[in-house]
PDB file of all heavy atoms in Angstrom:
ATOM      1  N   LEU A1212      71.130 100.929  99.841  1.00 43.00           N
ATOM      2  CA  LEU A1212      70.281 101.844  99.103  1.00 43.00           C
ATOM      3  C   LEU A1212      71.033 102.481  97.932  1.00 43.00           C
ATOM      4  O   LEU A1212      70.428 102.893  96.962  1.00 43.00           O
ATOM      5  CB  LEU A1212      69.758 102.939 100.030  1.00 43.00           C
ATOM      6  CG  LEU A1212      68.805 102.474 101.126  1.00 43.00           C
ATOM      7  CD1 LEU A1212      68.475 103.632 102.047  1.00 43.00           C
ATOM      8  CD2 LEU A1212      67.549 101.872 100.539  1.00 43.00           C
ATOM      9  N   LEU A1213      72.334 102.570  98.033  1.00 43.00           N
ATOM     10  CA  LEU A1213      73.119 103.186  96.972  1.00 43.00           C
ATOM     11  C   LEU A1213      73.256 102.287  95.755  1.00 43.00           C
ATOM     12  O   LEU A1213      73.431 102.775  94.648  1.00 43.00           O
ATOM     13  CB  LEU A1213      74.512 103.561  97.486  1.00 43.00           C
ATOM     14  CG  LEU A1213      74.533 104.650  98.535  1.00 43.00           C
ATOM     15  CD1 LEU A1213      75.961 104.883  98.992  1.00 43.00           C
ATOM     16  CD2 LEU A1213      73.931 105.925  97.994  1.00 43.00           C
ATOM     17  N   LEU A1214      73.176 100.973  95.957  1.00 41.00           N
ATOM     18  CA  LEU A1214      73.346 100.049  94.857  1.00 41.00           C
ATOM     19  C   LEU A1214      72.384 100.317  93.695  1.00 41.00           C
ATOM     20  O   LEU A1214      72.815 100.386  92.553  1.00 41.00           O
ATOM     21  CB  LEU A1214      73.230  98.607  95.348  1.00 41.00           C
ATOM     22  CG  LEU A1214      73.503  97.531  94.318  1.00 41.00           C
ATOM     23  CD1 LEU A1214      74.914  97.681  93.745  1.00 41.00           C
ATOM     24  CD2 LEU A1214      73.335  96.157  94.918  1.00 41.00           C
ATOM     25  N   PRO A1215      71.090 100.527  93.941  1.00 42.00           N
ATOM     26  CA  PRO A1215      70.202 100.825  92.810  1.00 42.00           C
ATOM     27  C   PRO A1215      70.610 102.102  92.071  1.00 42.00           C
ATOM     28  O   PRO A1215      70.500 102.177  90.855  1.00 42.00           O
ATOM     29  CB  PRO A1215      68.826 100.989  93.452  1.00 42.00           C
ATOM     30  CG  PRO A1215      68.910 100.224  94.731  1.00 42.00           C
ATOM     31  CD  PRO A1215      70.336 100.344  95.180  1.00 42.00           C
ATOM     32  N   TRP A1216      71.102 103.119  92.796  1.00 39.00           N
ATOM     33  CA  TRP A1216      71.553 104.360  92.141  1.00 39.00           C
ATOM     34  C   TRP A1216      72.747 104.064  91.231  1.00 39.00           C
ATOM     35  O   TRP A1216      72.819 104.543  90.111  1.00 39.00           O
ATOM     36  CB  TRP A1216      71.950 105.412  93.169  1.00 39.00           C
ATOM     37  CG  TRP A1216      70.787 106.092  93.810  1.00 39.00           C
ATOM     38  CD1 TRP A1216      70.336 105.913  95.086  1.00 39.00           C
ATOM     39  CD2 TRP A1216      69.910 107.049  93.227  1.00 39.00           C
ATOM     40  NE1 TRP A1216      69.251 106.694  95.303  1.00 39.00           N
ATOM     41  CE2 TRP A1216      68.969 107.402  94.180  1.00 39.00           C
ATOM     42  CE3 TRP A1216      69.842 107.625  91.962  1.00 39.00           C
ATOM     43  CZ2 TRP A1216      67.966 108.317  93.929  1.00 39.00           C
ATOM     44  CZ3 TRP A1216      68.837 108.551  91.715  1.00 39.00           C
ATOM     45  CH2 TRP A1216      67.920 108.883  92.701  1.00 39.00           C
ATOM     46  N   ALA A1217      73.686 103.277  91.736  1.00 40.00           N
ATOM     47  CA  ALA A1217      74.872 102.943  90.937  1.00 40.00           C
ATOM     48  C   ALA A1217      74.463 102.137  89.709  1.00 40.00           C
ATOM     49  O   ALA A1217      74.969 102.359  88.607  1.00 40.00           O
ATOM     50  CB  ALA A1217      75.877 102.169  91.782  1.00 40.00           C
ATOM     51  N   LEU A1218      73.534 101.208  89.899  1.00 37.00           N
ATOM     52  CA  LEU A1218      73.045 100.407  88.784  1.00 37.00           C
ATOM     53  C   LEU A1218      72.352 101.293  87.746  1.00 37.00           C
ATOM     54  O   LEU A1218      72.566 101.147  86.546  1.00 37.00           O
ATOM     55  CB  LEU A1218      72.076  99.346  89.310  1.00 37.00           C
ATOM     56  CG  LEU A1218      71.749  98.181  88.404  1.00 37.00           C
ATOM     57  CD1 LEU A1218      73.012  97.484  87.933  1.00 37.00           C
ATOM     58  CD2 LEU A1218      70.855  97.202  89.126  1.00 37.00           C
ATOM     59  N   LEU A1219      71.561 102.250  88.223  1.00 38.00           N
ATOM     60  CA  LEU A1219      70.893 103.179  87.317  1.00 38.00           C
ATOM     61  C   LEU A1219      71.913 103.982  86.507  1.00 38.00           C
ATOM     62  O   LEU A1219      71.743 104.200  85.315  1.00 38.00           O
ATOM     63  CB  LEU A1219      69.984 104.128  88.104  1.00 38.00           C
ATOM     64  CG  LEU A1219      69.220 105.181  87.301  1.00 38.00           C
ATOM     65  CD1 LEU A1219      68.313 104.516  86.273  1.00 38.00           C
ATOM     66  CD2 LEU A1219      68.425 106.063  88.231  1.00 38.00           C
ATOM     67  N   ALA A1220      73.001 104.395  87.155  1.00 39.00           N
ATOM     68  CA  ALA A1220      74.046 105.155  86.460  1.00 39.00           C
ATOM     69  C   ALA A1220      74.668 104.318  85.341  1.00 39.00           C
ATOM     70  O   ALA A1220      74.912 104.816  84.248  1.00 39.00           O
ATOM     71  CB  ALA A1220      75.128 105.605  87.437  1.00 39.00           C
ATOM     72  N   LEU A1221      74.880 103.033  85.606  1.00 38.00           N
ATOM     73  CA  LEU A1221      75.461 102.166  84.581  1.00 38.00           C
ATOM     74  C   LEU A1221      74.484 101.956  83.429  1.00 38.00           C
ATOM     75  O   LEU A1221      74.861 102.026  82.262  1.00 38.00           O
ATOM     76  CB  LEU A1221      75.858 100.817  85.189  1.00 38.00           C
ATOM     77  CG  LEU A1221      77.068 100.845  86.117  1.00 38.00           C
ATOM     78  CD1 LEU A1221      77.249  99.477  86.771  1.00 38.00           C
ATOM     79  CD2 LEU A1221      78.315 101.235  85.361  1.00 38.00           C
ATOM     80  N   VAL A1222      73.221 101.723  83.768  1.00 35.00           N
ATOM     81  CA  VAL A1222      72.209 101.499  82.741  1.00 35.00           C
ATOM     82  C   VAL A1222      72.019 102.765  81.905  1.00 35.00           C
ATOM     83  O   VAL A1222      71.823 102.713  80.699  1.00 35.00           O
ATOM     84  CB  VAL A1222      70.869 101.069  83.389  1.00 35.00           C
ATOM     85  CG1 VAL A1222      69.744 101.058  82.389  1.00 35.00           C
ATOM     86  CG2 VAL A1222      71.028  99.701  84.023  1.00 35.00           C
ATOM     87  N   ALA A1223      72.132 103.935  82.562  1.00 37.00           N
ATOM     88  CA  ALA A1223      71.918 105.207  81.866  1.00 37.00           C
ATOM     89  C   ALA A1223      73.096 105.596  80.979  1.00 37.00           C
ATOM     90  O   ALA A1223      73.076 106.618  80.339  1.00 37.00           O
ATOM     91  CB  ALA A1223      71.648 106.309  82.882  1.00 37.00           C
ATOM     92  N   GLY A1224      74.116 104.798  80.978  1.00 37.00           N
ATOM     93  CA  GLY A1224      75.227 105.098  80.086  1.00 37.00           C
ATOM     94  C   GLY A1224      76.548 105.272  80.788  1.00 37.00           C
ATOM     95  O   GLY A1224      77.584 105.267  80.156  1.00 37.00           O
ATOM     96  N   GLY A1225      76.524 105.465  82.123  1.00 43.00           N
ATOM     97  CA  GLY A1225      77.774 105.605  82.859  1.00 43.00           C
ATOM     98  C   GLY A1225      78.695 106.596  82.203  1.00 43.00           C
ATOM     99  O   GLY A1225      78.269 107.605  81.685  1.00 43.00           O
ATOM    100  N   VAL A1226      79.985 106.322  82.200  1.00 45.00           N
ATOM    101  CA  VAL A1226      80.957 107.250  81.667  1.00 45.00           C
ATOM    102  C   VAL A1226      81.084 107.126  80.153  1.00 45.00           C
ATOM    103  O   VAL A1226      81.712 107.953  79.538  1.00 45.00           O
ATOM    104  CB  VAL A1226      82.336 107.029  82.315  1.00 45.00           C
ATOM    105  CG1 VAL A1226      83.006 108.338  82.574  1.00 45.00           C
ATOM    106  CG2 VAL A1226      82.266 106.242  83.576  1.00 45.00           C
ATOM    107  N   ALA A1227      80.504 106.111  79.559  1.00 46.00           N
ATOM    108  CA  ALA A1227      80.639 105.916  78.120  1.00 46.00           C
ATOM    109  C   ALA A1227      79.830 106.944  77.339  1.00 46.00           C
ATOM    110  O   ALA A1227      80.060 107.131  76.159  1.00 46.00           O
ATOM    111  CB  ALA A1227      80.198 104.511  77.747  1.00 46.00           C
ATOM    112  N   GLY A1228      78.891 107.622  77.976  1.00 87.00           N
ATOM    113  CA  GLY A1228      77.994 108.522  77.273  1.00 87.00           C
ATOM    114  C   GLY A1228      78.434 109.966  77.216  1.00 87.00           C
ATOM    115  O   GLY A1228      77.582 110.840  77.250  1.00 87.00           O
ATOM    116  N   ILE A1229      79.737 110.220  77.136  1.00 94.00           N
ATOM    117  CA  ILE A1229      80.201 111.611  77.086  1.00 94.00           C
ATOM    118  C   ILE A1229      79.638 112.309  75.850  1.00 94.00           C
ATOM    119  O   ILE A1229      79.650 111.742  74.756  1.00 94.00           O
ATOM    120  CB  ILE A1229      81.746 111.685  77.138  1.00 94.00           C
ATOM    121  CG1 ILE A1229      82.202 113.139  77.268  1.00 94.00           C
ATOM    122  CG2 ILE A1229      82.379 110.983  75.959  1.00 94.00           C
ATOM    123  CD1 ILE A1229      83.685 113.275  77.602  1.00 94.00           C
ATOM    124  N   PRO A1230      79.118 113.524  76.010  1.00 96.00           N
ATOM    125  CA  PRO A1230      78.586 114.257  74.858  1.00 96.00           C
ATOM    126  C   PRO A1230      79.689 114.593  73.855  1.00 96.00           C
ATOM    127  O   PRO A1230      80.876 114.584  74.194  1.00 96.00           O
ATOM    128  CB  PRO A1230      78.021 115.545  75.483  1.00 96.00           C
ATOM    129  CG  PRO A1230      77.813 115.213  76.920  1.00 96.00           C
ATOM    130  CD  PRO A1230      78.884 114.225  77.269  1.00 96.00           C
ATOM    131  N   PRO A1231      79.325 114.926  72.618  1.00 96.00           N
ATOM    132  CA  PRO A1231      80.338 115.292  71.619  1.00 96.00           C
ATOM    133  C   PRO A1231      81.094 116.557  72.040  1.00 96.00           C
ATOM    134  O   PRO A1231      80.524 117.447  72.677  1.00 96.00           O
ATOM    135  CB  PRO A1231      79.524 115.537  70.346  1.00 96.00           C
ATOM    136  CG  PRO A1231      78.106 115.590  70.757  1.00 96.00           C
ATOM    137  CD  PRO A1231      77.974 114.974  72.103  1.00 96.00           C
ATOM    138  N   HIS A1232      82.369 116.634  71.680  1.00 95.00           N
ATOM    139  CA  HIS A1232      83.206 117.753  72.121  1.00 95.00           C
ATOM    140  C   HIS A1232      82.726 119.098  71.591  1.00 95.00           C
ATOM    141  O   HIS A1232      83.048 120.135  72.159  1.00 95.00           O
ATOM    142  CB  HIS A1232      84.680 117.515  71.769  1.00 95.00           C
ATOM    143  CG  HIS A1232      84.977 117.520  70.313  1.00 95.00           C
ATOM    144  ND1 HIS A1232      85.257 118.662  69.625  1.00 95.00           N
ATOM    145  CD2 HIS A1232      85.027 116.513  69.411  1.00 95.00           C
ATOM    146  CE1 HIS A1232      85.474 118.372  68.358  1.00 95.00           C
ATOM    147  NE2 HIS A1232      85.339 117.074  68.198  1.00 95.00           N
TER     148      HIS A1232
END
Side-chain angles (χ1 to χ4, degrees):
L1212 294 174
L1213 294 178
L1214 185 59
W1216 283 107
L1218 196 54
L1219 179 60
L1221 289 174
V1222 170
V1226 219
I1229 187 169
H1232 67 87

